[in-house]
Amino acid sequence: MATTLALASSRVVTPEGERPGVVLVAGDRIVDVVAPADAPADTATDHEDLGDQVIMPGFVDSHVHVNDPGRAHWEGFDTATRAAALGGITTVVDMPLNCLPPTTTVESLDRKLAAVHGRTHVDVAFWGGVVPGSEEHLDGLAAAGVLGFKAFTCDSGVPEYGSFAPSAAAGLLARTAALGVPLIVHAEDPAALATAPADADPRRYRTWLDTRPADAEVAAITTLLDGVRATGGRLHVLHLSAADALAPLADARRAGLPVTVETCPHYLTLTAEDVADGATDHKCAPPIRDRANQDRLWEALADGTIDGVVSDHSPAPAEDKGLATGDFLGAWGGIASLQLGFPVLWSAARRRGFGLSDVARWLASGPARIAGLRRKGAIVPGADADLIVVDPDDTWTVDAAALAHRHPITPYDGRRLTGTVRRTYLRGRCIARDGALLQPATGQPRRRDEV
Ligand SMILES: [Zn+2]
């Protein structure tokens, strides 16, 4: 197939690093990345030199609660994927809970696919869910193309999505291993969680933080790693917050166990010391911890113990988020930040001496590997032509009301950030430019064997 698009830049971020180059696209795939002198003349219908604006792989966000169908008044495929496209995310993987019904049966997945149809601006794939009593549906969901299965070891926050004891969750690894997919786990041990004292002030962040100690993450992860050792099943640890769990995770990886780990921008850029009383837009579980903990998460990103950074975008309306009362114990736990992952992470990463290749690894190739999306997350021949163009030096101020997700709530409101996504290409087509969507919803739902 002839080249249909050729994008040149002095800075193309490939798995080998940043270099001058021309990304050659034919249809929906990348066919090559060549040196500027080697770019074929006159073959491209659309040839453009972007100068020193940076070409990066489209980001992959493997942890998004779209909540559609069923709680689409919290979020939805149209609004969430608009935010994704504008934020440089070309693939979203939807979580199986907070939607109704949860994605624990093939019928639920079918209803989700119906909700997606014609309403997604980026490609979307799906995690299946497993709750006590739904195990019989694992085979069918795997055959229907979910990427893996999500389990909780503590209360999920919604009544319809039950949890397993940590040892029972570890036992699920035998089932998921047989299906060839990962078990992805919200890992906090309920035995180590605490109830706030009756006289504690629910508006204080400390009150919430004290109910979710780091030991709860360490205990659950330790039990799950025992399950990996016993079964050989692949474990993915969701939204790691507690740095104390890094040592057992690093040991497991050194031993060659099939374990991956993600963290989120909020754990890397917000700190418990800075969360104001009543600022329930910062509530999530596990919680945002202190600055010393955060420094250790960055070290784990640098040494590869943590594979990727994902949003865990989990929005809710203002009344559920407790913004009027400031009640941390009653508020919905979830951070809304889908569109902001790149500038939030990059603003902090550059201050810590990291480069855009690191950011591409954390926001694109790492999450793609976690989710098993072989054609996503890297600028390499054969991959989907999911590309973004960024200005890494542009500095701007977040206005929550200007973001595309459904409710104008985010803990980053008013923050000065550096880094702007100028363009987003989905499978060779420019779908967003300078903050505006250019196409109708051209994203596709994708099965595990299609990506
Ligand atoms: Zn989540």
Side-chain angles (χ1 to χ4, degrees):
M1 188 178 188
T3 303
T4 51
L5 174 68
L7 289 179
S9 166
S10 63
R11 302 177 66 184
V12 179
V13 178
T14 71
E16 292 77 44
E18 213 177 289
R19 57 178 159 116
V22 185
V23 182
L24 302 177
V25 174
D28 58 6
R29 300 286 186 101
I30 296 167
V31 288
D32 210 350
V33 184
V34 299
D38 299 332
D42 302 328
T43 54
T45 55
D46 188 0
H47 186 291
E48 192 167 359
D49 188 342
L50 297 161
D52 56 7
Q53 294 193 74
V54 185
I55 302 176
M56 297 180 72
F59 301 132
V60 175
D61 194 337
S62 58
H63 192 151
V64 180
H65 296 268
V66 181
N67 305 338
D68 193 357
R71 285 195 180 91
H73 56 298
W74 288 15
E75 189 56 285
F77 280 105
D78 179 50
T79 45
T81 62
R82 278 175 191 272
L86 294 170
I89 298 161
T90 45
T91 307
V92 156
V93 188
D94 179 53
M95 277 294 168
L97 74 157
N98 307 341
C99 50
L100 290 170
T103 319
T104 50
T105 67
V106 173
E107 294 71 36
S108 303
L109 180 64
D110 286 342
R111 289 170 71 168
K112 193 168 272 292
L113 287 165
V116 169
H117 185 75
R119 294 174 61 228
T120 185
H121 297 269
V122 301
D123 284 353
V124 56
F126 306 92
W127 294 114
V130 57
V131 299
S134 82
E135 296 90 338
E136 65 184 284
H137 299 290
L138 293 176
D139 297 41
L141 278 166
V146 301
L147 305 182
F149 292 95
K150 179 174 189 179
F152 276 74
T153 60
C154 61
D155 182 67
S156 73
V158 289
E160 69 276 4
Y161 205 92
S163 63
F164 294 90
S167 57
L172 290 170
L173 284 158
R175 296 289 302 271
T176 52
L179 295 168
V181 297
L183 182 72
I184 67 172
V185 185
H186 178 125
E188 289 180 284
D189 188 331
L193 298 177
T195 305
D199 61 346
D201 181 353
R203 287 182 47 84
R204 284 192 66 217
Y205 182 67
R206 186 85 226 175
T207 299
W208 167 242
L209 183 58
D210 286 348
T211 67
R212 314 292 292 215
D215 286 352
E217 287 185 73
V218 176
I221 288 168
T222 301
T223 302
L224 290 161
L225 290 175
D226 288 343
V228 175
R229 287 186 190 92
T231 64
R234 204 183 128 206
L235 171 70
H236 175 63
V237 176
L238 297 163
H239 46 49
L240 183 77
S241 169
D244 287 348
L246 289 166
L249 287 166
D251 285 348
R253 295 178 63 126
R254 266 193 297 275
L257 297 181
V259 178
T260 52
V261 185
E262 69 182 34
T263 190
C264 307
H266 36 280
Y267 302 126
L268 296 165
T269 66
L270 304 174
T271 58
E273 292 91 330
D274 294 332
V275 180
D277 289 351
T280 50
D281 50 354
H282 290 65
K283 179 180 173 181
C284 55
I288 295 162
R289 303 189 191 277
D290 65 30
R291 194 166 289 123
N293 181 82
Q294 180 175 96
D295 288 342
R296 293 164 66 199
L297 294 179
W298 279 98
E299 288 166 16
L301 272 174
D303 71 22
T305 304
I306 297 176
D307 301 88
V309 180
V310 299
S311 69
D312 194 6
H313 179 71
S314 184
E319 49 280 21
D320 296 284
K321 243 349 231 167
L323 295 185
T325 63
D327 177 354
F328 271 104
L329 299 178
W332 173 253
I335 300 273
S337 66
L338 185 57
Q339 198 171 332
L340 299 174
F342 170 66
V344 165
L345 188 65
W346 172 233
S347 298
R350 71 199 317 247
R351 277 199 302 275
R352 289 175 182 262
F354 296 103
L356 288 170
S357 288
D358 299 306
V359 171
R361 199 166 70 245
W362 301 332
L363 292 181
S365 60
R369 195 173 66 251
I370 288 166
L373 303 172
R374 290 178 297 278
R375 293 217 309 265
K376 302 290 190 183
I379 300 180
V380 293
D384 281 353
D386 297 346
L387 305 166
I388 61 173
V389 178
V390 306
D391 178 343
D393 301 313
D394 184 49
T395 298
W396 57 287
T397 301
V398 177
D399 172 8
L403 299 174
H405 69 261
R406 189 175 298 287
H407 298 285
I409 300 166
T410 178
Y412 304 105
D413 191 31
R415 282 213 163 205
R416 289 290 286 171
L417 298 177
T418 299
T420 297
V421 177
R422 295 287 183 209
R423 298 189 204 180
T424 304
Y425 290 81
L426 178 66
R427 285 179 275 102
R429 275 216 282 184
C430 189
I431 60 167
R433 185 163 179 169
D434 295 323
L437 288 170
L438 304 181
Q439 303 277 349
T442 55
Q444 293 289 333
R446 308 302 284 266
R447 295 161 44 101
R448 184 161 57 100
D449 53 8
E450 294 172 334
V451 283

